[in-house]
Amino acid sequence: MNTHALCLCGSGKEYHQCCGLFHSGEKQPDTAEALMRSRYSAYALRNACYLQATWEANKRPEAIDFSREKIDWLRLEILDTKKGGMQDNKGVVVFKAFFRQDDDEHVMNEISRFTRINGRWFYLDGIIKSIGKVGLQTNQGKNALCSCGSGKKFKRCCGAE
């Protein structure tokens, strides 16, 4: 990646002044949101080593294999954060990650949990609320808002049987 290009995390900073500092090990993210952004950039760059290193040890998968992935990550939108600051030991980040797959743009909405151990933030786990094509939400979580715009939960609207 061109180190003078804008960072993929959406911060508006150049990569070498943003997530590049975390990926190189020069700095550690000081908030759960900063770790979320750096992990998104790591996914986009297929940096499995960084993802493994920032996953809480008891939840970490044995390996991350990008060899079959045919996804191009496009952008990240942080929707909400709860705690996760420099004085906290737990945090939650709600985000949307946009990606291109099979010539279609998709969006994944996730709630991610983070924990701070010995002053360092780690990704704990996440709940995918919805995933689908942009403009046509499919495979929604049962409690996700319905994509029809009614304001109701999917299970009580278009997903009702």
Side-chain angles (χ1 to χ4, degrees):
M1 171 177 204
N2 175 355
T3 59
H4 293 288
L6 289 180
C7 191
L8 300 169
C9 79
S11 68
K13 298 177 185 176
E14 291 181 358
Y15 173 76
H16 75 281
Q17 296 175 328
C18 192
C19 293
L21 295 170
F22 305 136
H23 295 169
S24 70
E26 190 175 329
K27 281 184 69 179
Q28 296 295 324
D30 56 5
T31 65
E33 180 179 338
L35 179 59
M36 176 65 241
R37 288 181 178 280
S38 69
R39 286 178 57 82
Y40 171 83
S41 292
Y43 268 103
L45 297 169
R46 292 162 171 72
N47 183 344
C49 292
Y50 182 79
L51 293 168
Q52 289 282 85
T54 57
W55 215 311
E56 198 274 332
N58 293 323
K59 301 277 189 166
R60 179 184 309 142
E62 288 185 30
I64 299 172
D65 181 10
F66 289 112
S67 66
R68 294 186 191 140
E69 185 176 280
K70 295 181 180 171
I71 293 175
D72 291 317
W73 294 98
L74 304 173
R75 68 185 180 281
L76 174 70
E77 290 180 16
I78 303 294
L79 303 176
D80 193 19
T81 59
K82 294 180 178 122
K83 298 199 177 198
M86 293 190 289
Q87 304 302 319
D88 299 313
N89 287 322
K90 293 180 181 180
V92 173
V93 178
V94 182
F95 67 93
K96 285 185 178 180
F98 294 81
F99 60 95
R100 181 164 307 284
Q101 183 178 33
D102 299 326
D103 295 325
D104 290 317
E105 188 174 335
H106 296 71
V107 61
M108 176 182 71
N109 185 344
E110 182 175 313
I111 300 171
S112 291
R113 295 187 316 147
F114 297 85
T115 186
R116 194 164 71 159
I117 302 168
N118 297 324
R120 184 172 170 198
W121 284 102
F122 292 92
Y123 171 75
L124 200 55
D125 57 23
I127 298 170
I128 296 175
K129 297 303 285 182
S130 64
I131 190 167
K133 289 183 184 178
V134 171
L136 178 64
Q137 295 292 313
T138 58
N139 190 21
Q140 294 202 8
K142 63 183 179 177
N143 291 314
L145 289 178
C146 191
S147 61
C148 75
S150 68
K152 296 179 182 178
K153 291 182 179 181
F154 178 75
K155 69 182 180 183
R156 302 209 189 289
C157 191
C158 295
E161 293 183 15

